[in-house]
Amino acid sequence: AETTAGGGMGAGTMSLRQTAQRTGRTLSYGPRKTDGGLLALSEVAAMAFQEEPWLNRPDQVASLLRRLGVGRSEAFVQLLKKCRDKFDEVDTDHDGEIATDSTTIANWLNGLGVRRDAHAQNQQHIDEFKRTCEARQAATVSLPEVLAGFGFLLEEAADTKPSV
């Protein structure tokens, strides 16, 4: 496959056009709703996770962050990078997954500086996420899974509005 060496994605990463050709999809610069607006962060992260097995390869991570950041503000793109960096810090065994226990998830979320009006609200969301993971019998989660689970909090924290 052809690869790009620039564009901020890193060497060896397929371009949007190449990805569209490989998957037989229409070229799009960011997932869109039928009204043309951007999909929620949680929806895009969930779609990325479902498209192919998540192996936490550098090209997968770069592609995920690129897709999540399209049409978003620079501040939001920086928050996404911080999400990745904090995830890597919490992923102590470097296998691309973190435990679904409340402490690990709270450490990731709190490391981002994402807080709602009260700590109890964050804990409520963490507990709900943990219950969802337990229902799927998932003891660990990947970056796209945690972004899918907490995307709404990230969008609130960044007060994102599409920039395109």
Side-chain angles (χ1 to χ4, degrees):
E2 252 182 289
T3 57
T4 61
M9 295 185 336
T13 304
M14 293 176 68
S15 71
L16 288 174
R17 179 169 283 109
Q18 292 159 336
T19 301
Q21 290 170 344
R22 188 189 79 169
T23 60
R25 295 193 176 151
T26 304
L27 182 60
S28 169
Y29 293 99
R32 300 282 178 173
K33 297 179 186 177
T34 55
D35 67 0
L38 291 173
L39 292 176
L41 176 74
S42 296
E43 293 175 280
V44 178
M47 286 188 309
F49 181 74
Q50 293 170 359
E51 285 176 354
E52 65 179 329
W54 185 260
L55 303 173
N56 200 46
R57 294 185 325 255
D59 65 310
Q60 283 182 309
V61 174
S63 177
L64 174 66
L65 295 181
R66 184 176 181 181
R67 291 172 65 185
L68 294 172
V70 169
R72 309 271 184 185
S73 70
E74 179 61 29
F76 190 74
V77 170
Q78 292 306 314
L79 179 59
L80 289 172
K81 289 178 181 178
K82 189 174 182 180
C83 288
R84 176 204 54 209
D85 294 344
K86 293 299 176 185
F87 186 91
D88 289 345
E89 285 178 22
V90 176
D91 179 15
T92 55
D93 60 1
H94 309 290
D95 67 349
E97 295 190 335
I98 60 173
T100 59
D101 64 88
S102 296
T103 302
T104 302
I105 299 298
N107 286 342
W108 175 77
L109 196 59
N110 291 335
L112 301 174
V114 175
R115 291 181 176 57
R116 296 190 102 186
D117 294 336
H119 174 72
Q121 284 184 312
N122 271 359
Q123 190 59 49
Q124 180 183 8
H125 296 301
I126 291 168
D127 292 342
E128 184 178 323
F129 182 76
K130 185 177 175 191
R131 281 191 299 278
T132 300
C133 292
E134 288 171 352
R136 294 185 296 123
Q137 298 180 332
T140 60
V141 290
S142 63
L143 179 61
E145 289 173 292
V146 80
L147 290 173
F150 293 98
F152 70 99
L153 284 178
L154 300 173
E155 288 176 327
E156 278 182 14
D159 189 29
T160 64
K161 294 175 182 62
S163 63
V164 291

